[in-house]
Amino acid sequence: MKARAKLLLTLPPAVYLIAFFAVPGLLMLLASFRFPGDYGGLAPWYYIEEGSITFDLTLENWQRLFESTLYLQLLVKSLLFALLTTAICVLLAYPLALTIAQSPKRNRDLLLLLVILPFWSNFLVRIYAWMIIFSPQGALTAGLNQVTAALGLEPINLMFSSVAVITCLVYVHLPFMVLPLYANLEKHDPALLDAAQDLGANRSQRFWKVTWPLSLPGLYAGAVLVFIPTLGIFAIPDLLGGTNGIMIGNVIKQQFVESRDWPFGSVLSLVLTAITLVLVVIAGKLGRTPGALS
């Protein structure tokens, strides 16, 4: 009975992962070794001539990835953008999540509602709002240019810059860092802090010796939820970054939608997927490691 119950519990997610992850991954792997079609898409991967089958596969798409440093540079740039976004989200989300977790229970629901409130509006609408904020005619840019003019500096343009991209990435993904951290911090036993205080630990020591180690699983989960979507995002860099904020996700979109070079787009997607899987495995191992009091 236990084996049957375990099978019933694991079968639906296993079928889902096979149907929507493993099978598409295998199809993209096969596509990465094919030639692009004459009018885009994929050319046939085999031909039947005089009763014999001829396979038409190539390694050129993978060779193209390593022959030019452009794609590797964009991948490194995307990794740096994702790391910076994750780091800023940690710095902003941790004190916010800790404040919510330590607030009276009657106020927590309202505070959590304020955190998830941006999800009630459309993703693109929020990006367009930031385009208005960063526009050269916007109040923010005008105010900053008044300051730079008073200091004798050149005027600045926030639109189509890395600053605009990072700011919007943090704004969009910040709730994904706050919620896992809050879920973790809210479960901490206050008696541990009282015990540390009785043993002579001050406020700072109680945080670094008790709260911080115990919150690491929530921190790792939030980092994954922020880092992975940021790494492959293309809408925000496309609308706010221009040529200065382009990321690897923009190149993948360009290969599939504009250039219609599906084989090379599959190569880039597989590289991004491989990096993502490695990070998920690392985060999973770190998240399973209990925070030890030291």
Side-chain angles (χ1 to χ4, degrees):
M1 291 296 295
K2 291 183 178 180
R4 179 178 296 180
K6 185 177 180 180
L7 178 62
L8 291 175
L9 289 174
T10 58
L11 186 59
V15 172
Y16 180 88
L17 289 175
I18 292 173
F20 296 103
F21 184 80
V23 173
L26 290 174
L27 292 176
M28 293 189 68
L29 181 62
L30 176 60
S32 68
F33 294 103
R34 295 169 64 177
F35 288 98
D38 295 334
Y39 302 100
L42 299 172
W45 63 284
Y46 70 93
Y47 296 94
I48 300 179
E49 297 179 354
E50 299 179 355
S52 62
I53 300 177
T54 302
F55 295 99
D56 193 16
L57 302 175
T58 180
L59 292 173
E60 292 180 359
N61 301 306
W62 290 95
Q63 293 173 353
R64 178 182 169 187
L65 175 66
F66 298 101
E67 286 175 353
S68 175
T69 60
L70 174 63
Y71 303 108
L72 296 179
Q73 289 174 355
L74 283 175
L75 183 58
V76 172
K77 178 183 177 182
S78 300
L79 287 169
L80 292 176
F81 273 33
L83 284 173
L84 182 58
T85 301
T86 304
I88 296 174
C89 283
V90 170
L91 294 176
L92 295 177
Y94 202 104
L96 177 59
L98 187 60
T99 301
I100 297 175
Q102 294 178 348
S103 63
K105 290 186 177 181
R106 63 178 182 275
N107 298 332
R108 292 181 189 176
D109 291 340
L110 175 60
L111 294 174
L112 288 175
L113 178 63
L114 294 176
V115 171
I116 65 176
L117 195 61
F119 291 132
W120 293 9
S121 61
N122 185 269
F123 175 73
L124 289 177
V125 171
R126 286 181 281 156
I127 298 178
Y128 288 139
W130 278 104
M131 292 177 66
I132 296 174
I133 294 173
F134 286 127
S135 66
Q137 295 78 26
L140 178 60
T141 304
L144 290 175
N145 284 331
Q146 288 180 359
V147 175
T148 56
L151 297 175
L153 302 176
E154 294 292 329
I156 60 175
N157 184 18
L158 296 176
M159 193 64 178
F160 302 126
S161 66
S162 299
V163 174
V165 174
I166 295 295
T167 302
C168 196
L169 286 174
V170 171
Y171 162 75
V172 169
H173 296 96
L174 185 60
F176 295 104
M177 181 67 74
V178 174
L179 296 177
L181 277 173
Y182 165 77
N184 177 280
L185 293 168
E186 192 267 340
K187 296 178 182 178
H188 290 190
D189 189 353
L192 295 174
L193 295 176
D194 295 336
Q197 184 177 7
D198 293 340
L199 292 173
N202 57 33
R203 186 183 183 93
S204 176
Q205 290 173 330
R206 293 199 303 271
F207 174 79
W208 290 112
K209 297 293 185 178
V210 179
T211 304
W212 175 258
L214 293 177
S215 66
L216 288 180
L219 183 64
Y220 296 144
V224 170
L225 292 175
V226 172
F227 186 90
I228 292 177
T230 302
L231 185 60
I233 201 166
F234 64 88
I236 292 176
D238 204 18
L239 295 173
L240 288 172
T243 56
N244 295 322
I246 188 173
M247 297 173 63
I248 193 67
N250 300 96
V251 180
I252 295 175
K253 186 206 75 169
Q254 182 184 28
Q255 296 299 320
F256 278 102
V257 178
E258 300 173 14
S259 302
R260 291 187 57 80
D261 189 350
W262 292 9
F264 189 63
S266 299
V267 170
L268 296 176
S269 300
L270 288 171
V271 171
L272 195 61
T273 302
I275 295 174
T276 301
L277 289 176
V278 171
L279 294 173
V280 169
V281 171
I282 294 174
K285 291 183 178 180
L286 293 174
R288 285 195 297 269
T289 302
L293 299 179
S294 56

